[in-house]
Amino acid sequence: MAGNSQRRNRRTSNKKGAQVGSGGQRRRGLEGKGPTPPASVRKGHKKNRIANAQAKQAAARRPAPRRGGVKGTSEMVVGRNPVYEALRDGVPATTLYVQQYIENDERVRDALQLAGERGNINLMEAPRPELDRMTNGLNHQGLVLQVPPYEYAHPEDLTAAAYDNGEDPLIVALDGVTDPRNLGAIVRSVSAFGGHGVVVPERRAAGMTAGAWKSSAGTAARTPVSRVTNLTRALEGYQKAGITVVGLAADGEHTVQDLEALGGPVVIVIGSEGKGLGRLVGETCDYLVRIPMPGGAESLNAGVAAGIVLYETARRRA
């Protein structure tokens, strides 16, 4: 009945009791959300629908991943930080895949901005299951960058480029160097000291991956890398062309300061930090040289050793 104060749950006072707060939601709602993402990743936009259709078509055409060191395969960089760093460091890329309904945090915005500034990278939105399939279940965090296959040069291209410039060839060959970061660092040193390229074997060796591109600090774009099926035969081919092959070994009979052959056309062969040069490669070399280390260290990182020998070679040529 109206006016019955005995009714259950009837409020008899106008005073409000304690209330639950917003938990900061109102304050966060007033904060800016950064720049507007590209139209191709905004849900409902015409360009977003086109991008989704293109992503599905690309997925249908994409061949199954090949294994066994086959040349001509692309590479996927996954994860927000790795993708951002690859874009920042100039790693070549063809497509940036962005997960649908992804949380638009700072790293995602930065990656989209860098990809947009490059101008030649396709932006594709894809559902999470599709990104899971593309990356074989890796933790991609909603960002996947497709890196195109590296185009390796022919070994003779390296010497031809040197002679075209009126210079003696200066080439570095790697035997058993498996860390892409070392490869990238060596490419950077070759570029810094006026070298004409790097030769790597096809098997049991690092190739020009996204990690190698990053370590090269962009110099991989102008310093060619050649990939050969048999390093010993490639070295013999250089010898027939009149180029001296010098191997770096801890027990070399010469030191880098004393070997005059470094002043002429030369291929410098560097082995892995642990095993050094392989037997056949070592026997093929015209000279074996060592880097004197008064401090008593047994070996140096391959990238560091290459930098030392290249500096001495450049000093002699100057």
Side-chain angles (χ1 to χ4, degrees), residues 16 48 52 56 72 90 136 162 168 174 211 213 217 226 231 247 259 273-274 288:
K16 293 183 178 180
N48 172 257
N52 290 342
K56 291 179 181 179
N136 292 323
D168 287 332
L174 305 182
W213 267 97
S226 173
L231 182 59
L259 189 64
E273 183 176 349
L288 293 178

Side-chain angles (χ1 to χ4, degrees), residues 1-2 48-50 55 65 67 70 92 103 126 144 155 158 167 173 187 216 227 248 265 273 286 303 313:
M1 293 177 59
N48 172 257
R49 295 194 295 271
I50 295 173
R67 305 187 186 277
V70 180
E103 180 187 351
V144 177
L158 311 186
E167 300 169 348
V187 170
S216 76
R227 204 173 198 180
L248 195 59
E273 183 176 349
D286 298 304
T313 303

Side-chain angles (χ1 to χ4, degrees), residues 60-73:
R61 292 193 302 265
R62 191 178 302 114
R66 295 181 289 176
R67 305 187 186 277
V70 180
K71 291 191 289 185
T73 57

Side-chain angles (χ1 to χ4, degrees), residues 43 72 101 114 136 174 235 255 288:
K43 182 182 177 184
Y101 318 122
L114 288 173
N136 292 323
L174 305 182
L235 296 177
T255 64
L288 293 178

Side-chain angles (χ1 to χ4, degrees), residues 264-276:
V266 65
V267 176
I268 300 167
V269 190
I270 298 172
S272 63
E273 183 176 349
K275 297 181 180 180

Side-chain angles (χ1 to χ4, degrees), residues 120-142:
N120 58 351
I121 299 178
N122 298 318
L123 293 175
M124 298 285 189
E125 189 178 46
R128 183 181 181 88
E130 171 62 15
L131 296 184
D132 291 340
R133 189 194 69 78
M134 289 168 55
T135 60
N136 292 323
L138 294 178
N139 183 23
H140 51 72
Q141 299 176 306

